[in-house]
Amino acid sequence: MKNIWEQRNKFDKWLSVEVLAAEALAELGKVPKKAIANIKKKAGFNIDRINEIEKTTKHDVISFLSAVAEEVGEDSRFLHIGLTSSDVLDTSLAILMKEAADIILNDLEKLLSVLKKRAFEHKGTVMIGRTHGIHAEPVTFGFKLALWYEETKRNYERMKRAKDVISFGKLSGAVGTFANIDPFVEEYVCKKSGLKPDPASSQIIQRDRHAEYLLVLSLIASSIDKFAIEIRHLQRTEVLEAEEFFTAGQKGSSAMPHKRNPIACENLSGLARIVRSNAIAALENIPLWHERDISHSSVERVIIPDSTILINYMLVKITSLIASLKVYPENMLINLNKTQGLVFSERILLELVNKGLKRDDAYKIVQRNAMSVWEGKGGFKDLLKNDKELKNYLNSKEIEECFDLKHHLRNIDYIFKRIFRKG
């Protein structure tokens, strides 16, 4: 990913667009074919020379063209005919963003593969589900990972769409009207570059395209942040149901030798904030003055390379983290049983309703006994069996049946089939 945004690769793309535009003009008979052969043979640049010229011109594209002209010679006059700088900048940027999208899509595929593998590995690993941070009802760790898989699959589809949205070039001149350039040139360059001609552009490709791309990156970052926060919670000493792999020789704290901190997850949560912030900057780039101003340019030189590089790093990191994640099923069961059966309260409630009680009346009976458990007066099952009012509706065997874990997990296979139905 880093190589995509290197200065040399950027200038290579600029040169490609310029040469293709001249080639298209040659197809139209407006540039001698002999000149095109010479341009292709000699066209090149020296980055130091570009930078040196820019100290005087204060204009990157002019400096680039001047440096190329020194290499090509007289035939350089056939370069940049009828074009404005943004024709080159925006078309080449689309190529770079498309290349970056391909890397990100590949990263997402690898994450999906790891999530699927570990989801099936832990499909039956029972743990407590939590809402508001409080014990709710039983789930499995594989179910949690399957949920992440489905979310990542949506991010994959979003990234595919974002790649398509950004895969447009423009060579339509100073204000987008093709005043001094034939539309054929745009069609020719875009086709050769793997892009589509933007149906309507001003001096620039409209920045809602770039904003959508950055928003998708921010969604991917936020999903990674979500996964990381969950792992951080599960690694808490009081929970310890899962843990980042701690390598030999790794140190958790300069002061406390016992520490094993979720540093990778915390790193990912921090980086997600940068990517989300960059998406806001991309939204700010949409409203520009008239046919274009330059306020978006400096922003994009930071946010687009940074966000794609960060997402590439974050996806590789979270994939490795989940692949090596340590899972503790025994601790999951210990934690599930900490509330002494309270997690089966809904089953009791529904059985009482099935026996003919009004829901509010049934709720009061179950809640009364549940509050007694919170107050340390005994286990939930025993309290229910000794509740005189409840005995009128449920016998001991029926109460026992309500405390069956299999009841809560009986549709896990069904959910997995829905999520992984394509294999």
Side-chain angles (χ1 to χ4, degrees):
M1 181 67 80
K2 176 176 171 287
N3 292 337
I4 289 175
W5 302 109
E6 290 286 359
Q7 206 172 26
R8 175 159 294 280
N9 189 47
K10 179 185 74 172
F11 290 138
D12 279 338
K13 297 298 186 291
W14 289 12
L15 186 59
S16 173
V17 171
E18 291 283 3
V19 171
L20 285 172
E23 201 173 84
L25 288 170
E27 292 288 322
L28 292 172
K30 296 182 178 181
V31 171
K33 296 242 174 137
K34 184 178 179 182
I36 296 301
N38 184 50
I39 288 170
K40 285 184 175 181
K41 181 180 178 181
K42 295 183 178 179
F45 53 84
N46 181 288
I47 293 177
D48 290 337
R49 180 59 180 147
I50 294 171
N51 293 334
E52 181 184 355
I53 296 170
E54 190 173 358
K55 289 177 183 178
T56 301
T57 65
K58 305 295 190 294
H59 194 291
D60 53 357
V61 175
I62 292 174
S63 303
F64 166 78
L65 289 168
S66 297
V68 172
E70 291 176 354
E71 302 290 331
V72 173
E74 186 177 343
D75 286 335
S76 64
R77 65 194 179 92
F78 297 116
L79 294 173
H80 208 69
I81 293 176
L83 301 182
T84 188
S85 296
S86 288
D87 288 325
V88 179
L89 294 173
D90 281 6
T91 302
S92 62
L93 179 59
I95 298 169
L96 295 173
M97 292 177 75
K98 187 180 175 186
E99 290 179 357
D102 285 334
I103 292 176
I104 292 167
L105 286 167
N106 184 58
D107 291 338
L108 285 165
E109 287 175 358
K110 291 177 181 177
L111 176 57
L112 283 167
S113 178
V114 167
L115 284 169
K116 180 179 179 179
K117 179 182 177 182
R118 301 228 67 184
F120 277 94
E121 178 186 347
H122 290 286
K123 184 170 74 167
T125 303
V126 182
M127 66 183 297
I128 188 61
R130 298 171 172 91
T131 58
H132 306 278
I134 307 299
H135 284 203
E137 293 186 350
V139 295
T140 73
F141 189 59
F143 170 73
K144 191 184 293 287
L145 293 171
L147 193 82
W148 296 358
Y149 176 94
E150 185 67 15
E151 183 167 339
T152 301
K153 192 164 66 174
R154 291 195 295 276
N155 282 329
Y156 181 83
E157 293 302 321
R158 290 183 185 114
M159 195 68 230
K160 281 173 63 178
R161 291 195 297 271
K163 175 187 171 184
D164 184 62
V165 165
I166 204 62
S167 295
F168 285 84
K170 66 89 60 181
L171 290 91
S172 53
V175 291
T177 61
F178 297 99
N180 297 298
I181 189 77
D182 193 294
F184 171 78
V185 176
E186 182 180 78
E187 293 173 6
Y188 184 93
V189 173
C190 286
K191 185 176 181 180
K192 292 282 187 178
S193 303
L195 304 175
K196 292 162 282 187
D198 196 341
S201 57
S202 58
Q203 189 175 92
I204 60 167
I205 290 174
Q206 303 307 287
R207 259 43 196 178
D208 61 285
R209 294 186 183 277
H210 305 73
E212 184 172 343
Y213 188 100
L214 269 290
L215 283 167
V216 170
L217 297 186
S218 74
L219 283 168
I220 296 171
S222 293
S223 292
I224 294 172
D225 188 12
K226 168 185 170 179
F227 307 159
I229 287 173
E230 179 68 12
I231 294 169
R232 286 165 62 189
H233 169 74
L234 297 179
Q235 188 166 335
R236 289 173 54 229
T237 307
E238 297 84 354
V239 179
L240 201 55
E241 294 177 358
E243 182 183 29
E244 288 184 16
F245 187 78
F246 199 81
T247 59
Q250 185 176 338
K251 304 291 190 295
S253 166
S254 63
M256 299 168 283
H258 72 277
K259 295 281 280 179
R260 284 157 54 133
N261 301 328
I263 56 170
C265 287
E266 290 171 343
N267 173 260
L268 291 170
S269 289
L271 294 177
R273 297 168 190 171
I274 298 174
V275 179
R276 285 193 291 263
S277 297
N278 287 349
I280 294 172
L283 291 171
E284 296 286 349
N285 277 348
I286 295 174
L288 302 175
W289 285 26
H290 306 298
E291 277 58 60
R292 184 235 183 168
D293 65 56
I294 203 173
S295 60
H296 66 288
S297 178
S298 57
V299 182
E300 289 175 354
R301 291 168 196 244
V302 176
I303 65 173
I304 296 176
D306 279 9
S307 291
T308 52
I309 290 169
L310 283 175
I311 286 296
N312 175 220
Y313 171 81
M314 292 171 71
L315 284 168
V316 171
K317 194 76 170 177
I318 192 69
T319 300
S320 173
L321 196 159
I322 292 172
S324 62
L325 189 70
K326 299 180 73 174
V327 181
Y328 303 114
E330 301 84 0
N331 288 351
M332 290 177 173
L333 284 176
I334 291 170
N335 288 334
L336 187 148
N337 291 317
K338 274 183 178 178
T339 55
Q340 302 184 73
L342 285 182
V343 297
F344 300 101
S345 69
E346 184 184 12
R347 183 88 191 276
I348 298 292
L349 169 67
L350 294 176
E351 286 302 312
L352 288 173
V353 172
N354 288 338
K355 294 292 185 177
L357 267 74
K358 292 180 180 177
R359 185 179 178 86
D360 283 350
D361 293 337
Y363 197 102
K364 288 175 184 176
I365 294 172
V366 178
Q367 188 181 47
R368 179 176 68 229
N369 286 281
M371 293 305 107
S372 293
V373 177
W374 283 115
E375 293 162 9
K377 295 179 180 178
F380 190 44
K381 189 190 297 183
D382 292 336
L383 288 168
L384 292 171
K385 287 181 177 180
N386 292 316
D387 187 292
K388 293 180 180 180
E389 184 179 5
L390 188 143
K391 283 181 180 180
N392 294 325
Y393 305 99
L394 295 176
N395 59 39
S396 181
K397 181 184 177 186
E398 289 172 320
I399 292 171
E400 286 283 349
E401 289 174 350
C402 291
F403 284 75
D404 183 8
L405 271 174
K406 292 180 182 178
H407 171 83
H408 287 275
L409 308 177
R410 67 190 191 282
N411 286 315
I412 293 295
D413 282 337
Y414 169 73
I415 296 169
F416 266 60
K417 285 177 183 177
R418 289 203 307 191
I419 292 174
F420 300 105
R421 59 188 175 274
K422 293 183 180 179

